[in-house]
Amino acid sequence: MNTQRKPGWVTFVAVVGIILSGFGALGGVQEAMSPLMFEHQKQQYDQVIKEFGTITEELERYNDPANQGVINFMKWFVNAFEKMLNMPDWYKTWMVISGVLAMAINGFYMFGAIALMQLKPQAIRYLFIALPLSISLGVARTFFAYSAFDDTGLFFMSGTMAAIVIEIILLLILIKADKAPYRQFEA
């Protein structure tokens, strides 16, 4: 089939799927490596926390109400950073497992999105598997981050939550769209 007859929804779902799955796979690599990176860079992170503490103390000495918003943000940031550095051991294990799952699921997701763009007949089936898996992993990652870090975990997972919403939309488009371009290959 030529590109002039390719429906717009195919291009939209495929391109957004390729972008999301690419970011998801890269994020999975980063997530799987995070516990190791945090341990190796703990001294540097402790120095950052000390610097923020010094800046906050200096701003508090001025006793200027205009600085209060900045002071509150810096205290929140330091608190969030300390929570992240002192994450529970079970969450470190979860990050490695979640990262490996994210790489596998998003690799399959990207494969399905590329196949969709190429109008491969099995592409719809691949995405009907990959999208719910990706959505489920995103929900699980958000739940576990919230369990480990409370509200700060939701802040850390804001990108994941946005991806979940976009993937639900892609899944709904996939369910409702006219799949005629893919039926021409059926026997």
Side-chain angles (χ1 to χ4, degrees):
M1 172 170 271
N2 65 33
T3 55
Q4 293 170 336
R5 296 188 64 199
K6 187 184 300 183
W9 72 265
V10 170
T11 303
F12 176 77
V13 170
V15 168
V16 173
I18 290 168
I19 292 168
L20 286 179
S21 62
F23 281 130
L26 290 174
V29 171
Q30 180 185 10
E31 187 172 14
M33 298 300 295
S34 288
L36 183 63
M37 291 185 321
F38 288 146
E39 286 302 315
H40 281 38
Q41 297 174 344
K42 194 158 181 111
Q43 283 183 320
Q44 294 161 339
Y45 291 141
D46 287 337
Q47 186 63 36
V48 169
I49 289 172
K50 286 178 188 173
E51 290 294 326
F52 270 92
T54 303
I55 293 168
T56 303
E57 288 172 8
E58 287 179 22
L59 288 173
E60 286 175 334
R61 267 190 255 140
Y62 289 121
N63 204 17
D64 184 358
N67 290 337
Q68 197 56 48
V70 174
I71 292 169
N72 290 341
F73 174 76
M74 292 179 86
K75 285 181 178 180
W76 176 87
F77 182 80
V78 167
N79 184 37
F81 214 66
E82 286 175 337
K83 280 184 181 179
M84 182 180 66
L85 290 176
N86 298 313
M87 69 181 72
D89 287 336
W90 67 263
Y91 191 75
K92 291 176 184 177
T93 304
W94 164 250
M95 286 181 78
V96 173
I97 293 167
S98 174
V100 171
L101 286 172
M103 287 185 279
I105 290 170
N106 283 290
F108 181 63
Y109 180 6
M110 183 179 285
F111 178 75
I114 291 170
L116 185 75
M117 182 67 90
Q118 296 173 337
L119 298 176
K120 303 269 185 190
Q122 65 274 24
I124 302 287
R125 188 174 315 124
Y126 293 161
L127 288 177
F128 274 140
I129 295 168
L131 281 167
L133 285 174
S134 183
I135 292 166
S136 299
L137 181 60
V139 169
R141 290 177 63 223
T142 304
F143 172 78
F144 286 122
Y146 180 77
S147 297
F149 305 113
D150 299 320
D151 293 337
T152 306
L154 296 178
F155 176 76
F156 291 148
M157 291 291 133
S158 57
T160 299
M161 291 186 291
I164 291 168
V165 171
I166 294 168
E167 288 173 342
I168 289 171
I169 293 168
L170 294 181
L171 187 59
L172 291 173
I173 291 170
L174 202 60
I175 290 168
K176 291 300 234 173
D178 177 22
K179 297 167 196 67
Y182 297 92
R183 288 193 197 102
Q184 70 180 348
F185 299 107
E186 294 175 357

